[in-house]
């Protein structure tokens, strides 16, 4: 199995990947180099148009063909760029279509999520294993909320159907079961003494209507 750390060369290689992704995302968002710099500056980073130009010179698709330009990028800048460009932070590092570094292109995203790690060769630390389980539950909770929203959308559509329509709506018991599953996973965060993911107020309101108690969480909006 590929070593994911080898895919994230801390030298100029990874900077070139980020530079290429920034250039691509900026153009897709129809932002000029000056506009990107302004948005970065609004987040407290001293970026100017020259900063963007200097970074994008690292891009293999730029005029400099990867020659010259900025040699590194800070963690705070990486996160701010992801926020400004509205992309997942991991996308700025590697994506599912990348083949230039060889191996499985999913290695790095999975590694960032604490998965796909060769634990036979070198097990994760206790903190690493705990965080991997935390991320699994966060992802699952997000999927449950998406399922809940789909149910609510169908419930609204069903309410508009003429009586006698042959499409059965989701039952309230289906909704209760989904909400009980959310409650079960929320208790896990209390057990781990970790902050739970945000539970939308619309979900809590429906849970109250159906008599399902969701544990209090500072993560609710």
């Amino acid at each position: 199995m590929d070593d994911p750390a080898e895919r994230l060369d801390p030298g100029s290689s990874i900077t070139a990947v980020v530079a290429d992704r920034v250039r691509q995302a900026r153009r897709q968002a129809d932002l000029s180099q000056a506009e990107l710099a302004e948005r970065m500056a609004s987040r407290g980073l001293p970026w100017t148009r020259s900063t963007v130009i200097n970074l994008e010179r690292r891009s293999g698709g730029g005029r400099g063909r990867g020659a010259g330009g900025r040699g590194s990028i800070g963690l705070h800048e990486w996160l701010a760029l992801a926020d400004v460009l509205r992309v997942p932070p991991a996308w700025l590092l590697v994506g599912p279509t990348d083949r230039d570094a060889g191996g499985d292109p999913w290695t790095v995203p999975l590694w960032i999520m604490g998965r796909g790690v060769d634990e036979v060769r070198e097990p994760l630390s206790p903190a690493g294993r705990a965080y991997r389980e935390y991320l699994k539950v966060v992802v699952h909770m997000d999927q449950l909320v998406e399922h809940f929203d789909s149910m609510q959308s169908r419930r609204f559509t069903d309410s508009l159907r003429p009586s006698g329509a042959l499409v059965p709506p989701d039952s309230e018991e289906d909704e209760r079961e989904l909400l009980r599953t959310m409650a079960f996973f929320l208790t896990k965060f209390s057990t781990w003494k970790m902050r739970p993911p945000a539970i939308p107020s619309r979900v809590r309101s429906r849970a109250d209507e159906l008599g399902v108690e969701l544990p209090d969480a500072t993560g609710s909006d």
Side-chain angles (χ1 to χ4, degrees):
M1 180 177 181
D2 291 343
D3 183 344
E6 293 176 358
R7 298 290 310 282
L8 287 176
D9 181 354
S12 61
S13 167
I14 189 60
T15 306
V17 172
V18 173
D20 190 60
R21 289 307 178 91
V22 167
R23 183 170 175 269
Q24 179 183 340
R26 177 181 64 76
R27 290 184 170 183
Q28 289 177 346
D30 198 26
L31 291 174
S32 68
Q33 292 170 324
E35 288 171 331
L36 174 57
E38 288 174 5
R39 295 191 182 191
M40 291 292 283
S42 72
R43 285 158 174 76
L45 295 166
W47 276 46
T48 64
R49 180 171 178 269
S50 295
T51 311
V52 179
I53 292 173
N54 201 32
L55 173 63
E56 291 188 359
R57 281 180 181 156
R58 296 298 308 178
S59 169
R63 292 181 179 178
R65 301 276 177 196
R70 191 166 180 181
S72 63
I73 188 165
L75 176 61
H76 58 300
E77 294 174 304
W78 166 57
L79 294 174
L81 281 166
D83 181 39
V84 166
L85 296 170
R86 309 309 299 157
V87 297
W91 184 86
L92 290 173
L93 302 177
V94 67
T97 61
D98 289 348
R99 298 290 180 181
D100 57 326
D104 180 3
W106 288 103
T107 300
V108 171
L110 288 172
W111 177 51
I112 289 173
M113 294 179 66
R115 301 172 62 185
V117 178
D118 185 356
E119 292 203 62
V120 174
R121 186 184 63 179
E122 188 173 358
L124 282 174
S125 68
R129 289 195 298 273
Y131 192 67
R132 179 174 60 188
E133 293 305 308
Y134 170 80
L135 286 178
K136 284 182 182 178
V137 176
V138 168
V139 170
H140 193 64
M141 286 291 294
D142 185 58
Q143 292 170 340
L144 288 172
V145 171
E146 285 186 1
H147 190 186
F148 171 86
D149 286 337
S150 294
M151 278 186 167
Q152 298 308 296
S153 178
R154 288 195 296 271
R155 188 161 67 97
F156 174 74
T157 301
D158 291 334
S159 70
L160 302 179
R161 296 182 189 278
S163 59
L166 298 179
V167 181
D170 293 308
S171 70
E172 289 190 347
E173 187 54 37
D174 291 332
E175 291 184 75
R176 287 192 183 92
E177 186 60 30
L178 180 67
L179 291 165
R180 290 187 194 110
T181 303
M182 287 187 188
F184 169 77
F185 281 110
L186 282 172
T187 60
K188 283 184 169 290
F189 292 98
S190 298
T191 301
W192 293 332
K193 294 182 172 56
M194 289 183 172
R195 182 188 177 98
I199 301 301
S201 56
R202 63 184 181 278
V203 176
R204 290 190 173 277
S205 295
R206 185 59 177 164
D208 290 341
E209 290 175 11
L210 296 177
V212 177
E213 182 178 354
L214 294 180
D216 290 334
T218 56
S220 58
D221 62 13

